[in-house]
Amino acid sequence: MNNFSSEKNKLFTLIVVAIIVGVITGYFFESLVFFLAGYILWHFDKLNSYSKWLQKGAQIPEMPIGSGIWARLSSDTVQLRKKILTERLKNQKLKVRFNEILRSFPFPTIVINGRHEIQWINKRAASILSLQRKKDVGIPLNNIIRSEKLLELLKSDDPGELEIDAPKNSNRRIHLTLSRLTRNIRTISIRDISESYRLNAARQSFISNASHELRTPLTIINGYLEILSQNKTLSKSDIEMIQTASEHSQRMSKLIQDLLVLSGLEQDDPKTTLKRNLKFATIINDVLEHLKKSPGYKQKIELKVAKDLQIYASEYQMYSIALNLIENAIKYSPDNSQITITWKKDKDRAIFSVEDQGEGLSEKEIERITQPFYRTKSAQGKMVKGTGLGLSIVHEAARRNEGFLEIESSPRHGSTFKIIFLMGKK
Ligand code: ADP
């Protein structure tokens, strides 16, 4: 029998006794009131000792001794208290372990919660971000580092990376890597990249200055070589020498031009780049008009272009993308083969692809192909003119317009160079 039924029995017996006493004495109603009042008072007394015991911390030795429902309530309370204490201990152990793991993080790290509030920060992160470890805990990170890009990253559910100026010190450049630890807890690892950022800026500015300085003398050399080649009194070997010199200096001009484009793209801040809604089909047609005049153009070109499909992008950068990819397809595929140019919408993406039936590329070549100055052995062997900068330009230009380059190719089966633009982000 459980405690509740025994309590019911107790009450039932009490009422029966009250009735018998009432019948015997002739005071039926008074007897019932007397016994019930006694019963209620007894419970009040138990309730009182139970509440006092609870207030004192519900310790087992001081457990109010009782029977029936009160004994049950007291023992249940003890069990519950034990459970809560064990859970608390477990949580404390977990917290200690969690803090130990965080302390062992070799890099400057911040831990934030679902509302982007700082929960924990190690010394190195605090020093890089000019934060006070105790004072700034609880403050949303985006209140301390005011950056739209950071807010976007924090709001997104995905892990991500970001490069920004450090707060209160614009000479310091930092790289943040956001990853998720639990559903609501995320860590941000911070790297101070000021040195490499400065070196990179110096490299870019050197390339850009050197290219500018070289451009003028080369234009003059090209001009003189042109005039010289028209001189009718020169011998055949002299003309050949001038032609070779002219070819090399023209290649150098192209190299400098590509270097200037690439360093311009690298230094470009996508926020300040002039962008507008463009019909990319028009740019593709302009590029084709230009390339049709080149001597190497002997392929059949099939156009599958959505004429009215617009993209919000930089016109100049989109022109570079179309020019380099179509020119490569012409340069690296045989005469009379087919080149298919596609511009289409696919859900929230716009895709530009150039497919050729050329020699194709191996996996290793694909891995390196967007590195500046990389040219495949086959391209060098066949003396196809090029600088090795075209695909680096394409890669950078795509990135600056929310796009990325994908290459599908295998040796002897042609190649497809695809730029996928994410339209939704604009
Ligand atoms: P390049 O000025 O040499 O064409 P790119 O950066 O445009 O420079 O291309 C780098 C190299 O990638 C090329 O030298 C060539 O070896 C290879 N490549 C580019 N496009 C193709 C293609 N469509 N088919 C085969 N190889 C290609």
Side-chain angles (χ1 to χ4, degrees):
M1 200 190 301
N2 67 30
N3 300 74
F4 193 66
S5 341
S6 96
E7 197 60 40
K8 268 198 307 192
N9 288 348
K10 209 187 270 174
L11 182 62
F12 180 72
T13 319
L14 196 86
I15 292 170
V16 172
V17 173
I19 292 171
I20 297 170
V21 174
V23 170
I24 296 171
T25 58
Y27 293 99
F28 180 78
F29 180 69
E30 286 81 350
S31 161
L32 208 59
V33 169
F34 175 78
F35 277 95
L36 282 180
Y39 181 74
I40 291 170
L41 279 174
W42 179 77
H43 271 297
F44 261 121
D45 180 53
K46 289 288 165 202
L47 185 66
N48 189 27
S49 14
Y50 177 76
S51 138
K52 277 187 186 153
W53 175 67
L54 271 189
Q55 277 168 13
K56 279 187 187 164
Q59 303 293 336
I60 303 178
E62 290 159 26
M63 197 162 105
I65 305 160
S67 59
I69 204 153
W70 290 106
R72 178 61 196 263
L73 201 62
S74 307
S75 80
D76 280 357
T77 310
V78 168
Q79 292 303 326
L80 195 70
R81 190 171 171 273
K82 256 192 203 164
K83 221 168 144 187
I84 292 172
L85 284 178
T86 329
E87 282 295 316
R88 202 178 284 165
L89 205 73
K90 231 162 99 187
N91 282 346
Q92 256 167 8
K93 275 187 190 161
L94 262 177
K95 209 172 154 192
V96 170
R97 264 186 65 195
F98 185 67
N99 280 336
E100 270 170 12
I101 293 172
L102 288 176
R103 258 197 297 278
S104 70
F105 271 28
F107 353 87
T109 308
I110 301 182
V111 177
I112 55 165
N113 64 12
R115 293 187 298 276
H116 322 321
E117 291 159 354
I118 299 175
Q119 298 296 290
W120 184 89
I121 177 164
N122 65 9
K123 264 191 201 159
R124 293 174 65 197
S127 132
I128 291 181
L129 298 176
S130 316
L131 295 182
Q132 290 176 21
R133 287 177 73 199
K134 289 211 173 105
K135 212 178 115 207
D136 290 327
V137 166
I139 298 179
L141 186 63
N142 48 302
N143 281 7
I144 294 170
I145 309 176
R146 296 206 174 262
S147 149
E148 265 179 49
K149 279 189 193 167
L150 176 68
L151 191 62
E152 229 172 77
L153 184 68
L154 292 175
K155 280 183 182 166
S156 140
D157 275 342
D158 306 321
E161 296 183 20
L162 180 68
E163 229 184 84
I164 46 170
D165 287 337
K168 298 182 199 163
N169 185 356
S170 55
N171 285 330
R172 188 174 245 171
R173 192 81 179 160
I174 50 172
H175 181 274
L176 311 177
T177 311
L178 183 87
S179 20
R180 190 172 287 282
L181 220 58
T182 65
R183 202 165 64 87
N184 268 328
I185 301 283
R186 291 188 290 175
T187 60
I188 300 178
S189 317
I190 304 157
R191 263 189 309 133
D192 185 345
I193 51 159
S194 313
E195 199 52 35
S196 62
Y197 186 71
R198 267 194 289 277
L199 279 174
N200 203 26
R203 178 187 67 90
Q204 282 171 0
S205 122
F206 172 77
I207 291 175
S208 152
N209 289 339
S211 310
H212 269 295
E213 290 302 321
L214 284 169
R215 204 155 60 157
T216 319
L218 256 179
T219 316
I220 296 169
I221 294 171
N222 274 336
Y224 279 133
L225 286 172
E226 174 98 39
I227 296 167
L228 265 178
S229 67
Q230 284 162 9
N231 187 335
K232 302 265 177 342
T233 62
L234 290 174
S235 67
K236 202 179 159 208
S237 65
D238 286 343
I239 290 174
E240 272 171 14
M241 274 197 302
I242 291 167
Q243 260 171 4
T244 313
S246 175
E247 269 168 30
H248 281 282
S249 89
Q250 270 166 24
R251 182 170 181 267
M252 232 171 129
S253 297
K254 172 83 173 95
L255 197 73
I256 286 166
Q257 190 188 324
D258 281 357
L259 267 176
L260 275 171
V261 173
L262 187 61
S263 78
L265 273 172
E266 283 178 347
Q267 286 172 32
D268 170 66
D269 177 358
K271 267 193 189 162
T272 53
T273 310
L274 185 67
K275 288 186 181 177
R276 63 184 180 86
N277 280 319
L278 308 165
K279 282 190 180 166
F280 190 40
T282 319
I283 295 180
I284 296 172
N285 280 329
D286 290 351
V287 167
L288 281 174
E289 281 310 307
H290 167 74
L291 288 176
K292 273 179 186 166
K293 292 174 204 142
S294 66
Y297 172 54
K298 294 192 175 82
Q299 292 82 356
K300 289 172 264 172
I301 290 193
E302 187 189 357
L303 279 176
K304 292 181 181 169
V305 171
K307 281 197 188 113
D308 293 322
L309 176 56
Q310 295 202 359
I311 178 162
Y312 183 76
S314 147
E315 182 169 5
Y316 164 69
Q317 290 168 2
M318 293 301 283
Y319 189 90
S320 288
I321 290 174
L323 178 69
N324 281 297
L325 290 187
I326 302 174
E327 190 175 32
N328 278 352
I330 294 172
K331 279 197 308 192
Y332 301 110
S333 49
D335 295 353
N336 299 318
S337 62
Q338 178 157 313
I339 294 171
T340 310
I341 299 171
T342 312
W343 171 236
K344 63 172 183 186
K345 190 160 195 294
D346 178 21
K347 293 178 196 147
D348 55 350
R349 298 158 163 221
I351 299 173
F352 171 59
S353 74
V354 182
E355 185 183 347
D356 65 45
Q357 297 175 327
E359 277 185 23
L361 298 151
S362 69
E363 266 180 44
K364 277 197 175 161
E365 286 169 336
I366 294 176
E367 269 172 34
R368 299 187 56 194
I369 209 161
T370 53
Q371 289 171 6
F373 302 112
Y374 177 77
R375 305 198 72 210
T376 61
K377 282 201 180 114
S378 144
Q380 290 173 35
K382 285 187 186 154
M383 310 286 274
V384 183
K385 280 183 190 163
T387 60
L389 291 171
L391 288 178
S392 308
I393 292 174
V394 169
H395 175 70
E396 285 298 329
R399 268 180 18 141
R400 273 158 176 74
N401 293 282
E402 265 82 53
F404 57 93
L405 172 66
E406 244 182 42
I407 305 167
E408 286 162 19
S409 183
S410 57
R412 295 178 301 282
H413 289 100
S415 316
T416 305
F417 286 77
K418 216 183 252 183
I419 310 279
I420 300 166
F421 296 97
L422 307 172
M423 312 281 273
K425 287 202 172 178
K426 287 162 199 171

